[in-house]
Amino acid sequence: MTNAYDLVVIGSGPAGEKAAVKAAYFNHRVALIEREKVFGGAGIQTGTLPSKTLKETALYLSGVYNKGIFSINRELAGNAGIQDFMYRKNLVTHRAANEVERNLKRHDVTVYHGQAEFVDAHTLSVTSESGVKIVYAHHILVATGSYPFHPPAIPFDGVRVHDSDTILNIDRFPKSLCVLGAGVIGCEYATLFAAMGITTYVVNNSDKILGFLDHEIADGLVERMKNAGISILFNNGVGPFEVPADHDKPLTIPLQNGEVLHVDMFLFAAGRSGNIRGLHCERAGIAIGQRETIVVNAHYQTNVPHIYAVGDVIGFPALASISMEQGRVAVSHMFQTHDLENLSQIFPYGIYTVPEVSMVGLTEEQAKREGISYGTGYCYYRDTLRGEILGDQDNGFLKLVFETSTHVILGVHIMGYMATEIIHFGLCAVKDKRTLNEIIATVFNYPTLHDLYKYACYDGLGSLAGKKIKKAGEIKR
Ligand SMILES: Cc1cc2nc3c(=O)[nH]c(=O)nc-3n(C[C@H](O)[C@H](O)[C@H](O)COP(=O)(O)OP(=O)(O)OC[C@H]3O[C@@H](n4cnc5c(N)ncnc54)[C@H](O)[C@@H]3O)c2cc1C
Ligand SMILES: NC(=O)c1ccc[n+]([C@@H]2O[C@H](COP(=O)([O-])OP(=O)(O)OC[C@H]3O[C@@H](n4cnc5c(N)ncnc54)[C@H](O)[C@@H]3O)[C@@H](O)[C@H]2O)c1
């Protein structure tokens, strides 16, 4: 049968693309179904890539990292229009989506455009403007991702009241913005709009932002966000509101604490749900979990053994970085390629706020909770030569958590310029159980920000020995 495949993948996001090309590389007959006309899912079209590109654009236009460190000021944000702001995001998204298409072609993956749904456990229908096609599959991989949850009380209109998809299509800058939710999406967008000089409020239902971070990093980020002019309203929420017919009138948003916010635009960033609507998983007998997710085992197999699911549709951690590896692991198990049996449980988080934050391994609170005897070491960017050259504006720092008896590094936490890049040395240190002295004995290029690691190790040893020659962050301007 021409429409029968060894594997049919549903979704062309990072999880689906990488799984499809891996299976094809190992000579299996593969098809991929994508309902959008463009490839890449949230990874390329609506999430990771566009938001990261907008952040770089905001940094460039606002010159926030250059302010006051050269004798001339480069402040372009005031003169930039929305087209200037969106230009690079659109270009990078377009190029990356085309590359997904080329990658699928190079590997001879057959692409069907249309909405996939299960007919039975081995059969899918694909519905598009041109009709319905039926495909048969020996194995099926569901990689349909997630969508922004829409609570009924929020009047989403895609013009002034947005989710993380529609905020990418604004045709003018907001005069002011209220972001609901201080999670990853909320904090990233709040800091990039604030960098563009937009009055920004963040409303969060707890007393912390990004609860999984080490407390000193989370507190540090809150301080930097406040310094950037962002008002964070903790332990708060929003009540029902309407979009006035007159678009010159502000949105009047009632807060749970009785106050009212008057803002131009609103961004909902308080959670996502799995994309299984319309898939008819029940026809294949697939077990469903909370928030519309698919339940899988350690091999990413559902309760129906030849049907696998990976990426956001299986829930936590819902990261592009992990989704693509889950896709590869699933294919390895499916076709017994024995090259990638499972994923490391130690993986980094990268949060592309201004400033960036990144972490790997245990936080200080986790070490405490687990009864580990731990020490900490710090180094501030400004205490390194590279930090001095960059004129660090963030008061950025690196924090190590290590085991006191062995000096093994358990966790690395960074807030500052390029934190999401610098973390990878820390990832290897934590994965390989490196000690403070092993890091000190490693020669780095000089001057680089990797000196942060060395001097945080010295700082940790100094704390243990009760012999601190210089306190971390001591250099003040
Ligand atoms: C604003 C934002 C910023 C983010 N930033 C980061 C980041 O910096 N780093 C990071 O690691 N992660 C980030 N993420 C998370 C990341 O984007 C997701 O984890 C990742 O895209 C999930 O990949 P996926 O392949 O599972 O799903 P998706 O990328 O969502 O792709 C799913 C695809 O399936 C298609 N599809 C769905 N249902 C059907 C159907 N029935 N038939 C046919 N096709 C279907 C969709 O159209 C879509 O193309 C961010 C997410 C958001 C929203
Ligand atoms: N850099 C990255 O890796 C990155 C960036 C963006 C998104 N993502 C992925 O996208 C996922 C979804 O992100 P998200 O930010 O939408 O969700 P989230 O779960 O990370 O954050 C939601 C936040 O909203 C708050 N909240 C929830 N309901 C609320 C309410 N009614 N009122 C006020 N506050 C409320 C929560 O306390 C939390 O702080 C993330 O979990 C992550 O996997 C990753």
Side-chain angles (χ1 to χ4, degrees), residues 51-52 180-186 188 203-206 208-210 236-238 268-272 312 317-319 350-352:
S51 58
K52 265 74 271 183
L180 183 73
V184 208
I185 296 180
E188 288 187 352
V203 179
N204 197 46
N205 62 359
S206 71
K208 286 202 168 48
I209 63 167
L210 302 161
N236 220 327
V238 305
F268 178 83
R272 297 174 68 86
D312 279 16
L319 296 172
I351 302 165
Y352 294 75

Side-chain angles (χ1 to χ4, degrees), residues 447-465:
T448 66
L449 289 174
H450 281 68
D451 270 349
L452 288 164
Y453 284 98
K454 262 191 196 194
Y455 291 100
C457 289
Y458 279 122
D459 185 66
L461 289 173
S463 294
L464 282 186

Side-chain angles (χ1 to χ4, degrees), residues 345-366:
Q345 291 308 301
I346 298 173
F347 56 85
Y349 286 96
I351 302 165
Y352 294 75
T353 36
V354 184
E356 287 185 3
V357 161
S358 202
M359 66 163 282
V360 63
L362 292 192
T363 61
E364 187 174 346
E365 296 76 61
Q366 284 170 318

Side-chain angles (χ1 to χ4, degrees), residues 23-66:
Y25 175 85
F26 281 100
N27 302 319
H28 297 286
R29 203 168 131 73
V30 182
L32 181 143
I33 309 171
E34 171 54 59
R35 68 180 172 195
E36 299 294 334
K37 292 198 167 69
V38 287
F39 294 92
I44 287 175
Q45 296 293 338
T46 54
T48 312
L49 186 67
S51 58
K52 265 74 271 183
T53 313
L54 285 181
K55 180 217 159 196
E56 289 303 326
T57 307
L59 288 181
Y60 174 76
L61 292 175
S62 63
V64 285
Y65 280 135
N66 308 124

Side-chain angles (χ1 to χ4, degrees), residues 21-239:
V21 301
K22 174 163 179 154
Y25 175 85
F26 281 100
N27 302 319
H28 297 286
R29 203 168 131 73
V30 182
L32 181 143
I33 309 171
E34 171 54 59
R35 68 180 172 195
E36 299 294 334
K37 292 198 167 69
V38 287
F39 294 92
I44 287 175
Q45 296 293 338
T46 54
T48 312
L49 186 67
S51 58
K52 265 74 271 183
T53 313
L54 285 181
K55 180 217 159 196
E56 289 303 326
T57 307
L59 288 181
Y60 174 76
L61 292 175
S62 63
V64 285
Y65 280 135
N66 308 124
K67 271 186 190 143
I69 70 164
F70 299 105
S71 61
I72 45 165
N73 244 343
R74 185 180 53 76
E75 226 294 28
L76 305 173
N79 302 325
I82 193 77
Q83 288 84 0
D84 305 313
F85 185 60
M86 295 293 182
Y87 169 78
R88 188 139 186 88
K89 183 262 295 179
N90 294 339
L91 182 78
V92 171
T93 299
H94 179 71
R95 284 185 180 162
N98 284 349
E99 180 49 28
V100 173
E101 185 171 15
R102 280 195 293 269
N103 197 23
L104 294 170
K105 265 201 191 120
R106 270 197 299 270
H107 286 85
D108 277 334
V109 173
T110 306
V111 172
Y112 291 85
H113 276 289
Q115 168 85 20
E117 65 180 80
F118 282 98
V119 175
D120 61 41
H122 281 285
T123 315
L124 291 156
S125 67
V126 187
T127 308
S128 67
E129 287 155 2
S130 55
V132 180
K133 287 184 181 143
I134 298 292
V135 291
Y136 302 97
H138 194 60
H139 292 95
I140 295 172
L141 181 90
V142 183
T144 50
S146 60
Y147 67 93
F149 172 66
H150 275 197
I154 308 289
F156 293 95
D157 68 352
V159 181
R160 298 178 69 192
V161 180
H162 294 280
D163 60 25
S164 57
D165 289 355
T166 62
I167 194 77
L168 294 167
N169 303 323
I170 49 174
D171 59 8
R172 62 176 179 81
F173 283 116
K175 291 181 206 115
S176 54
L177 177 70
C178 170
V179 178
L180 183 73
V184 208
I185 296 180
C187 290
E188 288 187 352
Y189 273 112
T191 58
L192 84 81
F193 278 113
M196 289 301 293
I198 290 156
T199 305
T200 304
Y201 302 87
V202 178
V203 179
N204 197 46
N205 62 359
S206 71
D207 61 353
K208 286 202 168 48
I209 63 167
L210 302 161
F212 56 91
L213 292 180
D214 186 278
H215 71 285
E216 287 183 286
I217 298 283
D219 291 350
L221 184 59
V222 167
E223 191 193 308
R224 304 325 180 258
M225 287 170 75
K226 286 183 178 164
N227 290 345
I230 300 170
S231 307
I232 310 181
L233 309 165
F234 289 110
N235 296 315
N236 220 327
V238 305

Side-chain angles (χ1 to χ4, degrees), residues 413-435:
H413 308 273
I414 313 176
M415 186 193 66
Y417 183 68
M418 290 280 172
T420 58
E421 300 285 340
I422 306 164
I423 197 68
H424 294 111
F425 181 75
L427 168 67
C428 296
V430 173
K431 255 181 81 178
D432 299 342
K433 297 187 171 47
R434 294 282 170 223
T435 63

